[in-house]
Amino acid sequence: KPYDRAVHIGTNSTITSLNGSFHWNLRYNIDSGRMELCHSGETAVSFHPAKTVRYESFRKMILRSRSEKSFGPFLTGLRFCLYPKKTSKMIAVRDACIYDGDSSCVKRRALTRKDILSISTREEIERIVGFSTLLKDAIDLLDRECPDWFEKSCSFLGSKGVTTK
């Protein structure tokens, strides 16, 4: 997630996320009296610091994140987390990293994209209607929008000692 830490509302420091590929910050706009959440220097959303923010105020940012390739880090990786059979065991994917066990410490590096897709054929997962198609579509979209996402993730995971077993 790009917003991986709490930020004091009084700071204007730029925060770097996603291995340095995404920059964001909060700033106060003295003219409007509103706080602004900025992505790489561009205002993504603004809000009054003393008022409740309604979900609809995020619509513009959400629409842009899904329609403009250059807006935010939203089409750069794959993420999902499932808890089959309502147990504490999880099956999750973060790019080329597959988590499969009782904690996030139980992980391995996918060998191929098909390795990730094979998760959707597991008995406890294939019962989720449409999940297999959704996963395939997400990988296809990533391959078009960010062709080296899988290779970058494999390289990063390898440098951190995450094995394929």
Coordinates of all heavy atoms in Angstrom, one line a residue, residues 18-107:
L18 N 6.6 2.3 -2.0 CA 6.7 1.3 -3.1 C 8.1 1.4 -3.7 O 8.3 1.6 -4.9 CB 5.6 1.7 -4.1 CG 4.2 1.6 -3.6 CD1 3.3 2.1 -4.7 CD2 3.8 0.2 -3.2
N19 N 9.1 1.1 -2.9 CA 10.5 1.1 -3.3 C 11.0 2.3 -4.0 O 11.7 2.2 -5.0 CB 10.7 -0.2 -4.2 CG 10.5 -1.5 -3.4 OD1 10.8 -1.6 -2.2 ND2 9.9 -2.4 -4.1
G20 N 10.5 3.5 -3.6 CA 10.9 4.7 -4.1 C 10.2 5.2 -5.4 O 10.4 6.2 -5.9
S21 N 9.2 4.4 -5.8 CA 8.5 4.7 -7.1 C 7.3 5.7 -6.9 O 6.7 6.1 -7.8 CB 8.0 3.5 -7.8 OG 7.0 2.8 -7.0
F22 N 6.9 5.9 -5.6 CA 5.7 6.7 -5.4 C 6.0 7.7 -4.2 O 6.6 7.4 -3.2 CB 4.5 5.8 -5.0 CG 3.3 6.6 -4.7 CD1 2.6 7.2 -5.8 CD2 2.7 6.6 -3.5 CE1 1.4 7.9 -5.6 CE2 1.5 7.3 -3.3 CZ 0.8 7.9 -4.3
H23 N 5.6 9.0 -4.5 CA 5.9 10.1 -3.5 C 4.5 10.7 -3.1 O 3.8 11.0 -4.0 CB 6.8 11.1 -4.1 CG 8.1 10.5 -4.6 ND1 9.2 10.2 -3.7 CD2 8.5 10.1 -5.8 CE1 10.1 9.7 -4.4 NE2 9.7 9.6 -5.7
W24 N 4.3 10.9 -1.9 CA 3.1 11.6 -1.5 C 3.3 12.5 -0.2 O 4.3 12.3 0.5 CB 2.0 10.6 -1.2 CG 2.2 9.6 -0.1 CD1 2.9 8.5 -0.1 CD2 1.7 9.7 1.3 NE1 2.9 7.8 1.1 CE2 2.2 8.6 1.9 CE3 0.9 10.6 1.9 CZ2 1.9 8.3 3.3 CZ3 0.6 10.4 3.3 CH2 1.1 9.3 3.9
N25 N 2.5 13.4 0.0 CA 2.6 14.2 1.1 C 1.2 14.9 1.4 O 0.3 15.0 0.6 CB 3.7 15.3 1.0 CG 3.3 16.3 -0.1 OD1 3.2 16.0 -1.2 ND2 3.2 17.6 0.3
L26 N 1.1 15.4 2.7 CA 0.0 16.3 3.1 C 0.5 17.7 3.1 O 1.7 18.0 3.4 CB -0.5 15.9 4.5 CG -1.3 14.7 4.6 CD1 -1.5 14.4 6.1 CD2 -2.6 14.7 3.9
R27 N -0.3 18.7 2.7 CA 0.1 20.1 2.8 C -1.2 20.9 3.1 O -2.3 20.5 2.7 CB 0.8 20.5 1.6 CG -0.1 20.6 0.3 CD 0.7 21.2 -0.9 NE -0.1 21.1 -2.1 CZ 0.4 20.9 -3.3 NH1 1.7 20.8 -3.5 NH2 -0.4 20.9 -4.3
Y28 N -1.0 22.0 3.8 CA -2.1 22.9 4.1 C -2.1 24.0 3.0 O -1.1 24.6 2.7 CB -1.9 23.5 5.5 CG -3.0 24.4 5.9 CD1 -4.3 23.9 6.2 CD2 -2.8 25.8 5.9 CE1 -5.3 24.7 6.6 CE2 -3.9 26.6 6.2 CZ -5.1 26.1 6.6 OH -6.1 27.0 6.9
N29 N -3.3 24.2 2.4 CA -3.5 25.2 1.4 C -4.1 26.4 2.2 O -5.3 26.4 2.6 CB -4.5 24.7 0.3 CG -4.7 25.7 -0.8 OD1 -4.8 27.0 -0.5 ND2 -4.7 25.3 -2.0
I30 N -3.3 27.4 2.3 CA -3.7 28.6 3.1 C -4.8 29.3 2.4 O -5.7 29.9 3.1 CB -2.5 29.5 3.4 CG1 -2.8 30.5 4.5 CG2 -2.0 30.2 2.1 CD1 -1.6 31.1 5.1
D31 N -4.9 29.3 1.1 CA -6.0 30.0 0.4 C -7.4 29.4 0.6 O -8.4 30.1 0.8 CB -5.7 30.1 -1.1 CG -4.5 30.9 -1.4 OD1 -4.2 31.9 -0.7 OD2 -3.8 30.6 -2.4
S32 N -7.4 28.0 0.6 CA -8.7 27.3 0.8 C -9.0 26.9 2.2 O -10.1 26.6 2.6 CB -8.7 26.1 -0.1 OG -7.8 25.1 0.4
G33 N -7.9 26.9 3.1 CA -8.1 26.4 4.4 C -8.3 24.9 4.5 O -8.8 24.4 5.5
R34 N -7.8 24.2 3.5 CA -8.0 22.8 3.4 C -6.7 22.1 3.4 O -5.7 22.6 2.9 CB -8.8 22.4 2.2 CG -10.3 23.0 2.2 CD -11.0 22.8 0.9 NE -11.3 21.4 0.7 CZ -12.4 20.8 1.1 NH1 -13.3 21.4 1.8 NH2 -12.6 19.5 0.8
M35 N -6.7 20.8 3.9 CA -5.5 20.0 3.7 C -5.6 19.3 2.4 O -6.7 19.0 1.9 CB -5.5 18.9 4.8 CG -5.3 19.4 6.2 SD -3.7 20.2 6.5 CE -2.5 18.9 6.1
E36 N -4.4 19.1 1.8 CA -4.4 18.4 0.5 C -3.5 17.2 0.5 O -2.4 17.3 1.0 CB -3.9 19.4 -0.6 CG -4.7 20.6 -0.8 CD -4.2 21.6 -1.8 OE1 -2.9 21.6 -2.0 OE2 -5.0 22.4 -2.3
L37 N -4.0 16.1 0.1 CA -3.2 14.9 -0.1 C -2.7 14.9 -1.5 O -3.4 15.0 -2.5 CB -4.0 13.6 0.1 CG -3.3 12.3 -0.2 CD1 -2.2 12.0 0.7 CD2 -4.3 11.1 -0.1
C38 N -1.3 14.9 -1.7 CA -0.7 15.1 -3.0 C 0.0 13.8 -3.4 O 0.7 13.2 -2.6 CB 0.2 16.3 -3.0 SG -0.6 17.8 -2.5
H39 N -0.1 13.5 -4.7 CA 0.6 12.4 -5.3 C 1.6 13.0 -6.2 O 1.2 13.7 -7.2 CB -0.3 11.5 -6.1 CG -1.3 10.7 -5.3 ND1 -2.2 10.0 -5.9 CD2 -1.5 10.6 -4.0 CE1 -3.0 9.4 -5.0 NE2 -2.6 9.8 -3.8
S40 N 2.9 12.9 -5.9 CA 4.0 13.4 -6.7 C 3.7 14.9 -7.1 O 3.9 15.3 -8.2 CB 4.1 12.6 -8.0 OG 4.5 11.3 -7.7
G41 N 3.3 15.6 -6.1 CA 3.2 17.1 -6.2 C 1.8 17.5 -6.7 O 1.5 18.7 -6.7
E42 N 1.0 16.6 -7.1 CA -0.4 17.0 -7.6 C -1.4 16.6 -6.6 O -1.4 15.5 -6.0 CB -0.6 16.2 -8.9 CG -1.9 16.6 -9.6 CD -2.2 15.8 -10.9 OE1 -1.2 15.2 -11.4 OE2 -3.3 15.7 -11.3
T43 N -2.3 17.6 -6.4 CA -3.4 17.3 -5.4 C -4.3 16.2 -5.8 O -4.9 16.3 -6.9 CB -4.2 18.6 -5.1 OG1 -3.3 19.7 -4.7 CG2 -5.3 18.4 -4.1
A44 N -4.4 15.2 -5.0 CA -5.3 14.1 -5.3 C -6.7 14.3 -4.7 O -7.7 14.0 -5.3 CB -4.7 12.8 -4.8
V45 N -6.7 14.8 -3.4 CA -7.9 15.0 -2.7 C -7.6 16.1 -1.7 O -6.5 16.2 -1.2 CB -8.4 13.7 -2.1 CG1 -7.5 13.2 -1.0 CG2 -9.9 13.8 -1.6
S46 N -8.6 16.9 -1.4 CA -8.5 17.9 -0.3 C -9.6 17.7 0.7 O -10.7 17.2 0.4 CB -8.5 19.3 -0.9 OG -9.7 19.6 -1.5
F47 N -9.3 18.2 1.9 CA -10.3 18.0 3.0 C -10.1 19.1 4.0 O -9.0 19.6 4.2 CB -10.3 16.6 3.6 CG -9.0 16.3 4.2 CD1 -8.7 16.5 5.6 CD2 -8.0 15.7 3.5 CE1 -7.5 16.2 6.1 CE2 -6.7 15.4 4.0 CZ -6.5 15.6 5.4
H48 N -11.2 19.4 4.7 CA -11.1 20.4 5.9 C -10.6 19.6 7.1 O -11.2 18.6 7.4 CB -12.4 21.1 6.1 CG -12.3 22.2 7.1 ND1 -12.1 22.0 8.5 CD2 -12.2 23.5 6.9 CE1 -12.0 23.2 9.1 NE2 -12.1 24.1 8.1
P49 N -9.5 20.0 7.7 CA -9.0 19.2 8.8 C -9.9 19.0 10.0 O -9.7 18.1 10.8 CB -7.7 19.9 9.2 CG -7.9 21.3 8.7 CD -8.8 21.2 7.5
A50 N -10.9 19.8 10.2 CA -11.8 19.7 11.4 C -13.2 19.2 11.1 O -14.0 19.2 11.9 CB -11.9 21.1 12.0
K51 N -13.4 18.7 9.8 CA -14.7 18.2 9.4 C -14.6 16.8 9.0 O -13.6 16.3 8.5 CB -15.3 19.1 8.3 CG -15.6 20.5 8.7 CD -16.2 21.3 7.6 CE -16.5 22.7 8.1 NZ -17.0 23.5 7.0
T52 N -15.7 16.1 9.1 CA -15.8 14.7 8.6 C -15.7 14.7 7.1 O -16.3 15.5 6.5 CB -17.1 14.0 9.1 OG1 -17.2 14.1 10.5 CG2 -17.2 12.6 8.6
V53 N -14.9 13.7 6.6 CA -14.7 13.6 5.2 C -15.7 12.5 4.7 O -15.6 11.4 5.1 CB -13.3 13.3 4.8 CG1 -13.1 13.1 3.3 CG2 -12.3 14.3 5.3
R54 N -16.6 12.8 3.8 CA -17.5 11.8 3.2 C -16.8 11.0 2.1 O -16.0 11.6 1.4 CB -18.7 12.5 2.7 CG -19.6 13.2 3.7 CD -20.9 13.6 3.1 NE -21.9 14.1 4.1 CZ -22.5 13.4 5.0 NH1 -22.3 12.1 5.1 NH2 -23.3 13.9 5.8
Y55 N -17.2 9.8 2.0 CA -16.6 8.9 1.0 C -16.7 9.5 -0.4 O -15.8 9.4 -1.2 CB -17.3 7.5 1.0 CG -16.9 6.6 -0.1 CD1 -15.7 6.0 0.0 CD2 -17.7 6.5 -1.2 CE1 -15.2 5.1 -1.0 CE2 -17.2 5.6 -2.3 CZ -16.0 5.0 -2.1 OH -15.6 4.2 -3.1
E56 N -17.8 10.2 -0.7 CA -18.0 10.7 -2.1 C -16.9 11.7 -2.4 O -16.7 12.0 -3.6 CB -19.4 11.3 -2.2 CG -19.6 12.5 -1.3 CD -21.1 12.9 -1.3 OE1 -22.0 12.0 -1.3 OE2 -21.4 14.1 -1.1
S57 N -16.3 12.3 -1.4 CA -15.2 13.3 -1.7 C -14.0 12.6 -2.4 O -13.1 13.2 -2.9 CB -14.8 14.0 -0.5 OG -14.1 13.2 0.4
F58 N -13.9 11.3 -2.2 CA -12.8 10.5 -2.8 C -13.1 10.0 -4.2 O -12.2 9.5 -4.9 CB -12.5 9.3 -1.9 CG -11.9 9.7 -0.6 CD1 -12.7 9.8 0.5 CD2 -10.5 10.0 -0.5 CE1 -12.2 10.1 1.7 CE2 -10.0 10.3 0.7 CZ -10.8 10.4 1.8
R59 N -14.4 10.2 -4.7 CA -14.8 9.7 -6.0 C -13.8 10.1 -7.1 O -13.4 9.3 -8.0 CB -16.2 10.0 -6.3 CG -17.2 9.2 -5.7 CD -18.6 9.5 -6.2 NE -19.6 9.1 -5.3 CZ -20.1 7.9 -5.2 NH1 -19.8 7.0 -6.0 NH2 -21.1 7.6 -4.3
K60 N -13.6 11.4 -7.2 CA -12.7 11.9 -8.3 C -11.4 11.3 -8.3 O -10.9 10.9 -9.3 CB -12.6 13.5 -8.1 CG -11.8 14.1 -9.2 CD -11.7 15.6 -9.0 CE -10.8 16.2 -10.0 NZ -10.6 17.7 -9.8
M61 N -10.8 11.1 -7.1 CA -9.5 10.5 -7.0 C -9.5 9.0 -7.4 O -8.7 8.5 -8.1 CB -8.9 10.6 -5.6 CG -7.5 9.9 -5.4 SD -6.8 10.1 -3.8 CE -7.8 9.0 -2.8
I62 N -10.6 8.3 -7.0 CA -10.8 6.9 -7.3 C -10.9 6.7 -8.8 O -10.3 5.9 -9.5 CB -11.9 6.3 -6.5 CG1 -11.6 6.2 -5.0 CG2 -12.3 4.9 -7.1 CD1 -12.7 5.9 -4.1
L63 N -11.8 7.6 -9.4 CA -12.0 7.5 -10.9 C -10.7 7.8 -11.6 O -10.4 7.1 -12.6 CB -13.1 8.5 -11.3 CG -14.5 8.2 -11.0 CD1 -15.4 9.3 -11.3 CD2 -14.9 6.9 -11.7
R64 N -9.9 8.8 -11.2 CA -8.7 9.1 -11.9 C -7.7 7.9 -11.7 O -6.9 7.6 -12.6 CB -8.0 10.3 -11.3 CG -8.8 11.6 -11.7 CD -8.0 12.8 -11.3 NE -6.8 13.0 -12.0 CZ -5.8 13.7 -11.6 NH1 -5.9 14.4 -10.5 NH2 -4.7 13.8 -12.3
S65 N -7.7 7.3 -10.5 CA -6.8 6.2 -10.3 C -7.0 5.0 -11.2 O -6.2 4.2 -11.5 CB -6.8 5.7 -8.8 OG -7.9 5.0 -8.5
R66 N -8.3 4.9 -11.7 CA -8.7 3.7 -12.5 C -8.7 4.1 -14.0 O -8.8 3.2 -14.9 CB -10.0 3.2 -12.1 CG -9.9 2.4 -10.8 CD -11.3 2.2 -10.2 NE -11.2 1.3 -9.1 CZ -10.8 1.6 -7.9 NH1 -10.3 2.8 -7.6 NH2 -10.8 0.7 -6.9
S67 N -8.5 5.4 -14.3 CA -8.6 5.8 -15.7 C -7.3 6.4 -16.3 O -7.1 6.5 -17.5 CB -9.8 6.7 -15.9 OG -9.6 7.9 -15.2
E68 N -6.5 7.0 -15.4 CA -5.3 7.6 -15.8 C -4.1 6.8 -15.3 O -3.8 6.7 -14.2 CB -5.2 9.0 -15.2 CG -6.2 10.0 -15.7 CD -6.1 11.3 -15.1 OE1 -5.0 11.8 -14.7 OE2 -7.2 12.0 -14.9
K69 N -3.3 6.3 -16.3 CA -2.2 5.4 -16.0 C -1.2 6.1 -15.1 O -0.6 5.5 -14.2 CB -1.6 4.9 -17.3 CG -0.5 3.9 -17.1 CD 0.1 3.4 -18.4 CE 1.3 2.5 -18.2 NZ 1.8 2.0 -19.4
S70 N -1.0 7.4 -15.3 CA 0.1 8.1 -14.6 C -0.4 8.6 -13.2 O 0.4 9.1 -12.5 CB 0.6 9.3 -15.4 OG -0.5 10.2 -15.6
F71 N -1.6 8.4 -12.8 CA -2.1 8.9 -11.6 C -2.0 7.9 -10.5 O -2.8 6.9 -10.4 CB -3.6 9.4 -11.7 CG -4.1 10.1 -10.5 CD1 -3.7 11.4 -10.2 CD2 -4.9 9.4 -9.6 CE1 -4.2 12.0 -9.0 CE2 -5.3 10.0 -8.4 CZ -5.0 11.3 -8.2
G72 N -1.0 8.0 -9.6 CA -0.8 7.1 -8.5 C -0.2 5.8 -8.9 O 0.0 5.5 -10.1
P73 N 0.0 5.0 -7.9 CA 0.7 3.7 -8.1 C -0.3 2.5 -8.2 O 0.0 1.4 -7.9 CB 1.5 3.5 -6.8 CG 0.6 4.1 -5.8 CD -0.1 5.3 -6.5
F74 N -1.4 2.8 -8.8 CA -2.5 1.8 -8.7 C -2.5 0.7 -9.7 O -3.2 -0.3 -9.4 CB -3.9 2.6 -8.7 CG -3.9 3.7 -7.7 CD1 -3.8 5.0 -8.0 CD2 -4.0 3.3 -6.3 CE1 -3.8 6.0 -7.1 CE2 -4.0 4.4 -5.4 CZ -4.0 5.7 -5.8
L75 N -1.8 0.8 -10.7 CA -1.8 -0.3 -11.7 C -0.3 -0.8 -11.8 O 0.2 -1.1 -12.9 CB -2.3 0.2 -13.1 CG -3.7 0.5 -13.2 CD1 -4.1 1.0 -14.6 CD2 -4.6 -0.7 -12.8
T76 N 0.3 -1.0 -10.7 CA 1.7 -1.4 -10.7 C 1.9 -2.8 -10.0 O 3.0 -3.3 -10.0 CB 2.6 -0.4 -10.0 OG1 2.2 -0.2 -8.7 CG2 2.6 0.9 -10.8
G77 N 0.9 -3.3 -9.4 CA 1.1 -4.6 -8.7 C -0.2 -5.3 -8.4 O -1.2 -4.8 -8.6
L78 N 0.0 -6.5 -7.9 CA -1.1 -7.4 -7.6 C -1.2 -7.7 -6.1 O -0.2 -8.0 -5.5 CB -0.9 -8.8 -8.4 CG -2.0 -9.8 -8.2 CD1 -3.3 -9.4 -8.8 CD2 -1.5 -11.1 -8.9
R79 N -2.4 -7.6 -5.5 CA -2.5 -7.8 -4.1 C -3.9 -8.5 -3.9 O -4.9 -8.0 -4.4 CB -2.6 -6.5 -3.3 CG -1.5 -5.5 -3.6 CD -0.3 -5.9 -2.7 NE 0.7 -4.8 -2.8 CZ 1.5 -4.6 -3.8 NH1 1.4 -5.3 -4.9 NH2 2.5 -3.6 -3.7
F80 N -3.9 -9.5 -3.1 CA -5.1 -10.1 -2.5 C -4.8 -10.9 -1.3 O -3.7 -11.4 -1.2 CB -6.0 -10.8 -3.6 CG -5.4 -12.1 -4.1 CD1 -5.5 -13.3 -3.4 CD2 -4.7 -12.2 -5.3 CE1 -5.0 -14.5 -3.8 CE2 -4.2 -13.3 -5.8 CZ -4.3 -14.5 -5.0
C81 N -5.8 -11.1 -0.5 CA -5.6 -11.9 0.7 C -6.9 -12.6 1.0 O -8.0 -12.0 1.1 CB -5.2 -11.0 1.9 SG -4.8 -12.0 3.4
L82 N -6.9 -13.9 1.1 CA -8.1 -14.7 1.4 C -7.8 -15.6 2.6 O -6.7 -16.0 2.9 CB -8.3 -15.7 0.2 CG -8.5 -15.0 -1.2 CD1 -8.4 -16.0 -2.3 CD2 -9.7 -14.2 -1.3
Y83 N -8.9 -15.8 3.3 CA -8.9 -16.6 4.5 C -9.9 -17.8 4.3 O -11.1 -17.7 4.7 CB -9.3 -15.8 5.8 CG -8.2 -14.8 6.1 CD1 -8.3 -13.5 5.6 CD2 -7.1 -15.2 6.9 CE1 -7.3 -12.6 5.9 CE2 -6.2 -14.2 7.2 CZ -6.3 -12.9 6.7 OH -5.3 -12.0 7.0
P84 N -9.5 -18.9 3.7 CA -10.4 -19.9 3.3 C -11.0 -20.6 4.6 O -10.3 -20.8 5.6 CB -9.6 -20.9 2.5 CG -8.2 -20.3 2.4 CD -8.1 -19.1 3.2
K85 N -12.2 -21.0 4.4 CA -12.9 -21.8 5.4 C -12.9 -21.1 6.8 O -12.9 -21.7 7.8 CB -12.3 -23.2 5.6 CG -12.4 -24.0 4.3 CD -11.9 -25.4 4.5 CE -11.9 -26.1 3.2 NZ -11.4 -27.4 3.2
K86 N -12.9 -19.8 6.8 CA -12.9 -19.0 8.0 C -11.9 -19.4 9.1 O -12.2 -19.5 10.3 CB -14.4 -19.0 8.6 CG -15.4 -18.4 7.7 CD -16.8 -18.4 8.3 CE -17.8 -17.9 7.3 NZ -19.1 -18.0 7.7
T87 N -10.7 -19.7 8.6 CA -9.6 -20.1 9.5 C -8.6 -19.0 9.6 O -8.7 -18.0 8.9 CB -9.0 -21.4 9.0 OG1 -8.3 -21.1 7.8 CG2 -9.9 -22.5 8.8
S88 N -7.6 -19.2 10.5 CA -6.5 -18.2 10.6 C -5.5 -18.4 9.5 O -4.6 -17.6 9.3 CB -5.9 -18.3 11.9 OG -5.3 -19.6 12.1
K89 N -5.6 -19.5 8.7 CA -4.7 -19.7 7.6 C -5.0 -18.7 6.5 O -6.2 -18.5 6.1 CB -4.8 -21.1 7.1 CG -3.8 -21.4 5.9 CD -3.9 -22.9 5.5 CE -3.0 -23.0 4.2 NZ -2.8 -24.3 3.9
M90 N -4.0 -18.1 5.9 CA -4.3 -17.2 4.8 C -3.6 -17.7 3.5 O -2.6 -18.4 3.5 CB -3.8 -15.8 5.1 CG -2.3 -15.6 5.1 SD -2.0 -13.8 5.3 CE -0.3 -13.9 5.6
I91 N -4.2 -17.3 2.4 CA -3.6 -17.4 1.1 C -3.6 -16.0 0.5 O -4.6 -15.4 0.4 CB -4.3 -18.3 0.2 CG1 -4.4 -19.8 0.8 CG2 -3.7 -18.4 -1.2 CD1 -5.3 -20.7 0.1
A92 N -2.4 -15.4 0.3 CA -2.3 -14.1 -0.1 C -1.2 -14.0 -1.2 O -0.3 -14.8 -1.3 CB -1.9 -13.1 1.0
V93 N -1.3 -12.9 -2.0 CA -0.4 -12.6 -3.1 C 0.0 -11.1 -3.0 O -0.9 -10.3 -2.9 CB -0.9 -13.0 -4.5 CG1 0.0 -12.4 -5.6 CG2 -1.0 -14.5 -4.6
R94 N 1.2 -10.9 -3.0 CA 1.7 -9.5 -3.2 C 2.8 -9.5 -4.3 O 3.9 -10.0 -4.1 CB 2.3 -9.0 -1.9 CG 2.8 -7.6 -2.1 CD 3.4 -7.0 -0.8 NE 3.8 -5.6 -1.0 CZ 3.6 -4.6 -0.2 NH1 3.0 -4.9 1.0 NH2 4.0 -3.4 -0.5
D95 N 2.3 -9.2 -5.5 CA 3.1 -9.3 -6.7 C 3.5 -10.7 -6.9 O 2.7 -11.6 -7.0 CB 4.3 -8.3 -6.7 CG 3.8 -6.8 -6.6 OD1 2.7 -6.5 -7.1 OD2 4.5 -6.0 -5.9
A96 N 4.8 -11.0 -6.9 CA 5.3 -12.4 -7.1 C 5.5 -13.2 -5.8 O 5.9 -14.3 -5.8 CB 6.6 -12.4 -7.9
C97 N 5.1 -12.6 -4.7 CA 5.2 -13.3 -3.4 C 3.9 -14.0 -3.0 O 2.8 -13.3 -3.0 CB 5.6 -12.3 -2.3 SG 6.1 -13.1 -0.8
I98 N 4.0 -15.3 -2.7 CA 2.8 -16.0 -2.3 C 2.9 -16.4 -0.9 O 3.9 -17.0 -0.4 CB 2.6 -17.3 -3.2 CG1 2.5 -17.0 -4.6 CG2 1.5 -18.2 -2.6 CD1 2.5 -18.2 -5.6
Y99 N 1.9 -15.9 -0.1 CA 1.9 -16.2 1.4 C 0.9 -17.4 1.5 O -0.3 -17.3 1.0 CB 1.4 -15.0 2.1 CG 2.3 -13.8 2.0 CD1 2.1 -12.9 0.9 CD2 3.3 -13.6 2.9 CE1 3.0 -11.8 0.8 CE2 4.1 -12.5 2.8 CZ 3.9 -11.6 1.7 OH 4.8 -10.5 1.6
D100 N 1.3 -18.4 2.2 CA 0.4 -19.6 2.3 C 0.6 -20.3 3.6 O 1.5 -21.1 3.8 CB 0.7 -20.5 1.1 CG -0.3 -21.6 1.0 OD1 -1.3 -21.7 1.8 OD2 -0.2 -22.4 0.0
G101 N -0.1 -19.9 4.6 CA 0.1 -20.5 5.9 C -0.6 -19.7 7.1 O -1.5 -18.9 6.8
D102 N -0.1 -19.9 8.3 CA -0.7 -19.3 9.4 C -0.2 -17.9 9.7 O -0.7 -17.2 10.6 CB -0.4 -20.2 10.7 CG -1.2 -21.5 10.6 OD1 -2.2 -21.5 9.9 OD2 -0.7 -22.5 11.1
S103 N 0.9 -17.5 9.0 CA 1.4 -16.1 9.2 C 2.0 -15.6 7.9 O 2.3 -16.4 7.0 CB 2.4 -16.1 10.3 OG 3.7 -16.5 9.9
S104 N 2.3 -14.3 7.9 CA 3.0 -13.7 6.7 C 4.4 -14.1 6.6 O 5.1 -13.8 5.6 CB 2.8 -12.2 6.8 OG 3.5 -11.7 7.9
C105 N 4.9 -14.9 7.6 CA 6.3 -15.4 7.5 C 6.4 -16.6 6.6 O 7.5 -17.0 6.1 CB 6.8 -15.7 8.9 SG 7.0 -14.3 9.9
V106 N 5.2 -17.3 6.3 CA 5.2 -18.5 5.5 C 5.0 -18.0 4.0 O 3.8 -17.7 3.6 CB 4.1 -19.4 5.9 CG1 4.1 -20.7 5.0 CG2 4.2 -19.8 7.3
K107 N 6.1 -17.8 3.3 CA 6.0 -17.2 1.9 C 7.0 -17.9 1.0 O 8.0 -18.4 1.4 CB 6.2 -15.7 2.0 CG 7.5 -15.3 2.5 CD 7.5 -13.8 2.7 CE 8.8 -13.3 3.4 NZ 8.8 -11.9 3.7

